[in-house]
Amino acid sequence: MNINFFQSIYDHPLIQRNDLNVIMNTHERINFSKGSLLLKNGKMANEYYLIESGLLRAYVHDFSGNEITTDFYCANDIAIEVSSLFQRIPTKENIIALTNGIAWKIDFEKFQNLFHSIEGFREWGRAWMARQLFISKQRKIEMLTKSATERYKELIKDNPAIVQHVPIKHIASYLGITDTSLSRIRKEILFDL
Amino acid sequence: MNINFFQSIYDHPLIQRNDLNVIMNTHERINFSKGSLLLKNGKMANEYYLIESGLLRAYVHDFSGNEITTDFYCANDIAIEVSSLFQRIPTKENIIALTNGIAWKIDFEKFQNLFHSIEGFREWGRAWMARQLFISKQRKIEMLTKSATERYKELIKDNPAIVQHVPIKHIASYLGITDTSLSRIRKEILFDL
DNA sequence: AAATAATCTTGCCATATGACAGTAAATTAT
DNA sequence: ATAATTTACTGTCATATGGCAAGATTATTT
């Protein structure tokens, strides 16, 4: 078990080395295989996962039943459904594995203990939430101000792994367009690349 | 000072009555007047505000310098820029008063004390963040899946005060369209109302 | 009250994206 | 390997929204 992996994720000035050990030992290693569901619509999230390797996709169903991809999780990301986990309510999201992979799981009760017993951990947690909120806001603004083409180009730049491994229709719903349109956009920007 | 106001905002099963008193006394009443800035781009947020009355608008500038309205805050809302306040970094947002009003202010240091000393308060804080994250995600999905017309209709339904008091151009940028388009949409839906 | 400025509406045309259908290509199952 | 299924691309047409500019309306200042 690699301490650098945990250190890069639980990165906060108030988390001491021995705190990190406690935190590490609270996680459990799991393997997931392509197609398996880590979280299912209607259930309550009881854990979250640090992704060591592999690729996951989160999605919801819109009013007419179409899958809308809300997030991708890659190595070093945290796969989590905050709303369900922290409000103790059933989720509307699904998290499914797009590839095989390895993750480190921590469940809510253990998280809760760390949160209330380690000051650095709860500072980290709050900062993490703040960052997520910032990212979410940013993405919202980008949806408003940027064209689908620009958003796709940025995805290529920031997250090439996703573009390479994920079916177009999922990327399209993530970008908020149809797969038809994305197909055309891809054709368009071939010249730029 | 109205305890019901604070109770409705700091609403969590683990917050006891005397906790609430401590929390209440940590806030300071302020008046704000139309046009005043409660937060300015480039500064660090050092406090947040519970809005008792009045109307505020948060906005950022996009790459080409246009104002994008990111949020409105009404009575009983919390006007806060989480990212700057909790990550201790300068903000990119502005919060400006659209009307005169009354708010209760709490600054970061005092918040921090409450957070670490009252378990119920930090549970409330985390749940609040989780809810915000959920709302932000929801809005993102709505931007993806709903038309500008639908989004405007929902705004009318959920927040009529905003539609009545706020200049169209701000509502338009909040919805992610131009004021021209919003003007046409308004004309369109006159029939529906 | 008049003057000025800000805001809102409207017309014209351009463009991005969607809906639907058909085909091609790739993946998966038999 | 073959068949079946899923995924990706393309064509045609429809629609929503944007860009720009000119008026109309409303608000603000003098």
Side-chain angles (χ1 to χ4, degrees), chain A residues 52-88:
Chain A
E52 184 176 316
S53 66
L55 192 50
L56 301 167
R57 179 175 75 96
Y59 64 93
V60 297
H61 292 279
D62 72 6
F63 51 93
S64 26
N66 308 308
E67 281 187 10
I68 310 287
T69 296
T70 54
D71 259 308
F72 295 105
Y73 302 108
C74 312
N76 300 306
D77 285 343
I78 300 180
I80 182 174
E81 212 288 75
V82 168
S83 172
S84 173
L85 187 67
F86 293 142
Q87 294 186 100
R88 315 306 298 141

Short mmCIF file of all heavy atoms in Angstrom, two decimals, chain A residues 52-88:
data_model
loop_
_atom_site.label_atom_id
_atom_site.label_comp_id
_atom_site.label_asym_id
_atom_site.label_seq_id
_atom_site.Cartn_x
_atom_site.Cartn_y
_atom_site.Cartn_z
N GLU A 52 -7.26 4.17 -7.59
CA GLU A 52 -5.83 3.98 -7.83
C GLU A 52 -5.57 3.76 -9.32
O GLU A 52 -4.62 4.28 -9.87
CB GLU A 52 -5.31 2.78 -7.03
CG GLU A 52 -3.81 2.59 -7.16
CD GLU A 52 -3.29 1.45 -6.29
OE1 GLU A 52 -3.69 1.34 -5.11
OE2 GLU A 52 -2.48 0.65 -6.80
N SER A 53 -6.45 2.98 -9.95
CA SER A 53 -6.34 2.80 -11.40
C SER A 53 -7.71 2.49 -11.97
O SER A 53 -8.61 2.05 -11.25
CB SER A 53 -5.37 1.66 -11.72
OG SER A 53 -5.91 0.44 -11.26
N GLY A 54 -7.88 2.70 -13.26
CA GLY A 54 -9.15 2.43 -13.90
C GLY A 54 -9.95 3.70 -14.14
O GLY A 54 -9.48 4.81 -13.85
N LEU A 55 -11.13 3.52 -14.68
CA LEU A 55 -11.95 4.64 -15.12
C LEU A 55 -13.41 4.37 -14.78
O LEU A 55 -13.93 3.29 -15.03
CB LEU A 55 -11.77 4.79 -16.64
CG LEU A 55 -12.28 6.02 -17.35
CD1 LEU A 55 -11.83 7.29 -16.66
CD2 LEU A 55 -11.81 6.00 -18.80
N LEU A 56 -14.07 5.37 -14.16
CA LEU A 56 -15.46 5.22 -13.78
C LEU A 56 -16.29 6.33 -14.40
O LEU A 56 -15.78 7.38 -14.76
CB LEU A 56 -15.61 5.30 -12.25
CG LEU A 56 -14.83 4.29 -11.42
CD1 LEU A 56 -14.82 4.71 -9.96
CD2 LEU A 56 -15.46 2.91 -11.56
N ARG A 57 -17.60 6.09 -14.48
CA ARG A 57 -18.51 7.09 -15.03
C ARG A 57 -19.71 7.24 -14.11
O ARG A 57 -20.27 6.23 -13.65
CB ARG A 57 -18.99 6.64 -16.41
CG ARG A 57 -19.97 7.58 -17.07
CD ARG A 57 -20.29 7.11 -18.48
NE ARG A 57 -21.19 5.97 -18.47
CZ ARG A 57 -22.53 6.06 -18.63
NH1 ARG A 57 -23.10 7.24 -18.80
NH2 ARG A 57 -23.26 4.97 -18.62
N ALA A 58 -20.08 8.48 -13.81
CA ALA A 58 -21.29 8.73 -13.03
C ALA A 58 -22.36 9.26 -13.96
O ALA A 58 -22.07 10.07 -14.84
CB ALA A 58 -21.01 9.74 -11.92
N TYR A 59 -23.58 8.81 -13.78
CA TYR A 59 -24.65 9.31 -14.64
C TYR A 59 -25.98 9.32 -13.92
O TYR A 59 -26.17 8.61 -12.93
CB TYR A 59 -24.76 8.50 -15.94
CG TYR A 59 -25.15 7.05 -15.75
CD1 TYR A 59 -26.49 6.65 -15.82
CD2 TYR A 59 -24.19 6.08 -15.49
CE1 TYR A 59 -26.84 5.32 -15.65
CE2 TYR A 59 -24.54 4.76 -15.31
CZ TYR A 59 -25.86 4.38 -15.39
OH TYR A 59 -26.20 3.07 -15.21
N VAL A 60 -26.88 10.15 -14.42
CA VAL A 60 -28.26 10.19 -13.93
C VAL A 60 -29.19 10.02 -15.12
O VAL A 60 -28.76 10.06 -16.26
CB VAL A 60 -28.58 11.54 -13.24
CG1 VAL A 60 -27.71 11.75 -12.02
CG2 VAL A 60 -28.41 12.70 -14.21
N HIS A 61 -30.47 9.82 -14.82
CA HIS A 61 -31.46 9.78 -15.89
C HIS A 61 -32.22 11.09 -15.90
O HIS A 61 -32.65 11.57 -14.85
CB HIS A 61 -32.42 8.60 -15.69
CG HIS A 61 -31.77 7.28 -15.87
ND1 HIS A 61 -31.56 6.72 -17.11
CD2 HIS A 61 -31.24 6.40 -14.99
CE1 HIS A 61 -30.95 5.56 -16.99
NE2 HIS A 61 -30.74 5.35 -15.69
N ASP A 62 -32.38 11.68 -17.06
CA ASP A 62 -33.16 12.92 -17.11
C ASP A 62 -34.65 12.57 -17.16
O ASP A 62 -35.03 11.41 -17.13
CB ASP A 62 -32.73 13.82 -18.27
CG ASP A 62 -33.15 13.27 -19.62
OD1 ASP A 62 -33.88 12.24 -19.65
OD2 ASP A 62 -32.76 13.85 -20.64
N PHE A 63 -35.49 13.59 -17.20
CA PHE A 63 -36.94 13.42 -17.17
C PHE A 63 -37.47 12.44 -18.21
O PHE A 63 -38.40 11.70 -17.96
CB PHE A 63 -37.63 14.77 -17.34
CG PHE A 63 -37.10 15.55 -18.53
CD1 PHE A 63 -37.73 15.45 -19.76
CD2 PHE A 63 -35.98 16.36 -18.40
CE1 PHE A 63 -37.23 16.14 -20.84
CE2 PHE A 63 -35.48 17.06 -19.49
CZ PHE A 63 -36.11 16.95 -20.72
N SER A 64 -36.81 12.38 -19.38
CA SER A 64 -37.30 11.43 -20.39
C SER A 64 -36.52 10.12 -20.41
O SER A 64 -36.62 9.36 -21.36
CB SER A 64 -37.32 12.08 -21.77
OG SER A 64 -36.38 13.10 -21.91
N GLY A 65 -35.75 9.89 -19.34
CA GLY A 65 -35.12 8.59 -19.20
C GLY A 65 -33.76 8.44 -19.85
O GLY A 65 -33.15 7.37 -19.78
N ASN A 66 -33.27 9.50 -20.49
CA ASN A 66 -31.94 9.42 -21.10
C ASN A 66 -30.84 9.49 -20.05
O ASN A 66 -30.97 10.23 -19.08
CB ASN A 66 -31.74 10.59 -22.07
CG ASN A 66 -32.87 10.71 -23.07
OD1 ASN A 66 -33.22 9.74 -23.73
ND2 ASN A 66 -33.47 11.89 -23.15
N GLU A 67 -29.79 8.75 -20.30
CA GLU A 67 -28.63 8.82 -19.42
C GLU A 67 -27.87 10.13 -19.65
O GLU A 67 -27.51 10.46 -20.77
CB GLU A 67 -27.66 7.67 -19.71
CG GLU A 67 -28.08 6.36 -19.10
CD GLU A 67 -27.01 5.29 -19.26
OE1 GLU A 67 -25.89 5.62 -19.68
OE2 GLU A 67 -27.32 4.11 -18.98
N ILE A 68 -27.62 10.86 -18.56
CA ILE A 68 -26.77 12.04 -18.62
C ILE A 68 -25.52 11.76 -17.81
O ILE A 68 -25.62 11.53 -16.61
CB ILE A 68 -27.45 13.27 -17.99
CG1 ILE A 68 -28.86 13.47 -18.53
CG2 ILE A 68 -26.59 14.51 -18.14
CD1 ILE A 68 -28.90 13.97 -19.92
N THR A 69 -24.40 11.76 -18.45
CA THR A 69 -23.15 11.54 -17.73
C THR A 69 -22.78 12.81 -16.98
O THR A 69 -22.70 13.89 -17.56
CB THR A 69 -22.02 11.17 -18.72
OG1 THR A 69 -22.34 9.93 -19.33
CG2 THR A 69 -20.69 11.05 -17.98
N THR A 70 -22.58 12.68 -15.66
CA THR A 70 -22.29 13.86 -14.85
C THR A 70 -20.81 13.96 -14.51
O THR A 70 -20.33 15.05 -14.21
CB THR A 70 -23.10 13.84 -13.55
OG1 THR A 70 -22.87 12.60 -12.88
CG2 THR A 70 -24.58 13.99 -13.84
N ASP A 71 -20.10 12.86 -14.53
CA ASP A 71 -18.69 12.89 -14.15
C ASP A 71 -17.95 11.65 -14.61
O ASP A 71 -18.54 10.59 -14.76
CB ASP A 71 -18.55 12.97 -12.62
CG ASP A 71 -18.24 14.37 -12.16
OD1 ASP A 71 -17.29 14.96 -12.69
OD2 ASP A 71 -18.98 14.87 -11.29
N PHE A 72 -16.66 11.84 -14.78
CA PHE A 72 -15.76 10.71 -14.97
C PHE A 72 -14.76 10.72 -13.82
O PHE A 72 -14.38 11.79 -13.34
CB PHE A 72 -15.01 10.84 -16.30
CG PHE A 72 -15.90 10.76 -17.50
CD1 PHE A 72 -16.21 11.91 -18.21
CD2 PHE A 72 -16.42 9.55 -17.93
CE1 PHE A 72 -17.04 11.86 -19.33
CE2 PHE A 72 -17.25 9.48 -19.04
CZ PHE A 72 -17.56 10.64 -19.74
N TYR A 73 -14.37 9.56 -13.36
CA TYR A 73 -13.36 9.47 -12.31
C TYR A 73 -12.18 8.65 -12.82
O TYR A 73 -12.37 7.51 -13.27
CB TYR A 73 -13.93 8.81 -11.06
CG TYR A 73 -15.15 9.51 -10.49
CD1 TYR A 73 -16.42 8.96 -10.61
CD2 TYR A 73 -15.02 10.74 -9.85
CE1 TYR A 73 -17.54 9.61 -10.10
CE2 TYR A 73 -16.13 11.40 -9.34
CZ TYR A 73 -17.38 10.82 -9.47
OH TYR A 73 -18.48 11.47 -8.96
N CYS A 74 -11.00 9.23 -12.75
CA CYS A 74 -9.77 8.57 -13.20
C CYS A 74 -8.87 8.29 -12.00
O CYS A 74 -9.21 8.62 -10.87
CB CYS A 74 -9.01 9.47 -14.15
SG CYS A 74 -10.01 10.19 -15.44
N ALA A 75 -7.71 7.75 -12.27
CA ALA A 75 -6.73 7.50 -11.22
C ALA A 75 -6.47 8.78 -10.43
O ALA A 75 -6.36 9.86 -10.99
CB ALA A 75 -5.43 6.99 -11.84
N ASN A 76 -6.40 8.64 -9.12
CA ASN A 76 -6.16 9.75 -8.18
C ASN A 76 -7.39 10.63 -7.92
O ASN A 76 -7.30 11.59 -7.17
CB ASN A 76 -4.97 10.62 -8.59
CG ASN A 76 -3.70 9.81 -8.67
OD1 ASN A 76 -3.33 9.14 -7.72
ND2 ASN A 76 -3.05 9.84 -9.82
N ASP A 77 -8.49 10.31 -8.54
CA ASP A 77 -9.73 11.01 -8.23
C ASP A 77 -10.44 10.32 -7.08
O ASP A 77 -10.15 9.17 -6.75
CB ASP A 77 -10.69 11.00 -9.43
CG ASP A 77 -10.25 11.97 -10.51
OD1 ASP A 77 -9.43 12.87 -10.22
OD2 ASP A 77 -10.74 11.83 -11.64
N ILE A 78 -11.39 11.03 -6.48
CA ILE A 78 -12.25 10.44 -5.46
C ILE A 78 -13.62 10.23 -6.09
O ILE A 78 -14.24 11.19 -6.55
CB ILE A 78 -12.36 11.35 -4.24
CG1 ILE A 78 -10.97 11.58 -3.62
CG2 ILE A 78 -13.30 10.75 -3.21
CD1 ILE A 78 -10.99 12.48 -2.39
N ALA A 79 -14.07 9.00 -6.12
CA ALA A 79 -15.40 8.70 -6.63
C ALA A 79 -16.37 8.73 -5.46
O ALA A 79 -16.32 7.88 -4.58
CB ALA A 79 -15.43 7.34 -7.33
N ILE A 80 -17.24 9.72 -5.47
CA ILE A 80 -18.09 9.96 -4.31
C ILE A 80 -19.37 10.62 -4.75
O ILE A 80 -19.39 11.40 -5.70
CB ILE A 80 -17.35 10.87 -3.29
CG1 ILE A 80 -18.18 11.12 -2.03
CG2 ILE A 80 -16.97 12.19 -3.93
CD1 ILE A 80 -17.43 11.89 -0.96
N GLU A 81 -20.46 10.31 -4.07
CA GLU A 81 -21.71 11.03 -4.30
C GLU A 81 -22.02 11.74 -2.98
O GLU A 81 -22.65 11.19 -2.09
CB GLU A 81 -22.81 10.06 -4.70
CG GLU A 81 -23.84 10.66 -5.63
CD GLU A 81 -24.75 11.67 -4.93
OE1 GLU A 81 -24.30 12.81 -4.65
OE2 GLU A 81 -25.91 11.30 -4.70
N VAL A 82 -21.54 12.97 -2.92
CA VAL A 82 -21.58 13.75 -1.69
C VAL A 82 -22.98 13.87 -1.11
O VAL A 82 -23.19 13.69 0.09
CB VAL A 82 -21.02 15.16 -1.97
CG1 VAL A 82 -21.31 16.09 -0.81
CG2 VAL A 82 -19.53 15.09 -2.25
N SER A 83 -23.89 14.18 -1.97
CA SER A 83 -25.25 14.47 -1.54
C SER A 83 -25.86 13.30 -0.77
O SER A 83 -26.41 13.46 0.32
CB SER A 83 -26.07 14.80 -2.78
OG SER A 83 -27.41 14.90 -2.46
N SER A 84 -25.74 12.11 -1.31
CA SER A 84 -26.29 10.93 -0.65
C SER A 84 -25.48 10.56 0.58
O SER A 84 -26.04 10.27 1.65
CB SER A 84 -26.33 9.77 -1.64
OG SER A 84 -26.71 8.58 -1.00
N LEU A 85 -24.19 10.61 0.46
CA LEU A 85 -23.33 10.17 1.56
C LEU A 85 -23.49 11.05 2.80
O LEU A 85 -23.60 10.55 3.91
CB LEU A 85 -21.86 10.19 1.11
CG LEU A 85 -20.85 9.59 2.11
CD1 LEU A 85 -21.04 8.10 2.27
CD2 LEU A 85 -19.42 9.88 1.66
N PHE A 86 -23.53 12.36 2.61
CA PHE A 86 -23.52 13.26 3.76
C PHE A 86 -24.90 13.72 4.20
O PHE A 86 -25.07 14.22 5.30
CB PHE A 86 -22.64 14.47 3.49
CG PHE A 86 -21.19 14.13 3.38
CD1 PHE A 86 -20.37 14.75 2.45
CD2 PHE A 86 -20.63 13.17 4.22
CE1 PHE A 86 -19.03 14.43 2.35
CE2 PHE A 86 -19.28 12.85 4.12
CZ PHE A 86 -18.49 13.47 3.18
N GLN A 87 -25.88 13.56 3.33
CA GLN A 87 -27.23 13.90 3.78
C GLN A 87 -28.02 12.65 4.15
O GLN A 87 -29.16 12.75 4.57
CB GLN A 87 -27.95 14.72 2.70
CG GLN A 87 -27.30 16.08 2.48
CD GLN A 87 -28.08 16.95 1.51
OE1 GLN A 87 -28.84 17.84 1.90
NE2 GLN A 87 -27.91 16.68 0.22
N ARG A 88 -27.39 11.50 3.97
CA ARG A 88 -28.01 10.22 4.32
C ARG A 88 -29.36 10.05 3.64
O ARG A 88 -30.38 9.74 4.29
CB ARG A 88 -28.17 10.07 5.85
CG ARG A 88 -26.96 10.47 6.69
CD ARG A 88 -25.67 9.79 6.32
NE ARG A 88 -25.69 8.34 6.48
CZ ARG A 88 -25.10 7.52 5.61
NH1 ARG A 88 -24.48 7.96 4.54
NH2 ARG A 88 -25.14 6.22 5.80
#
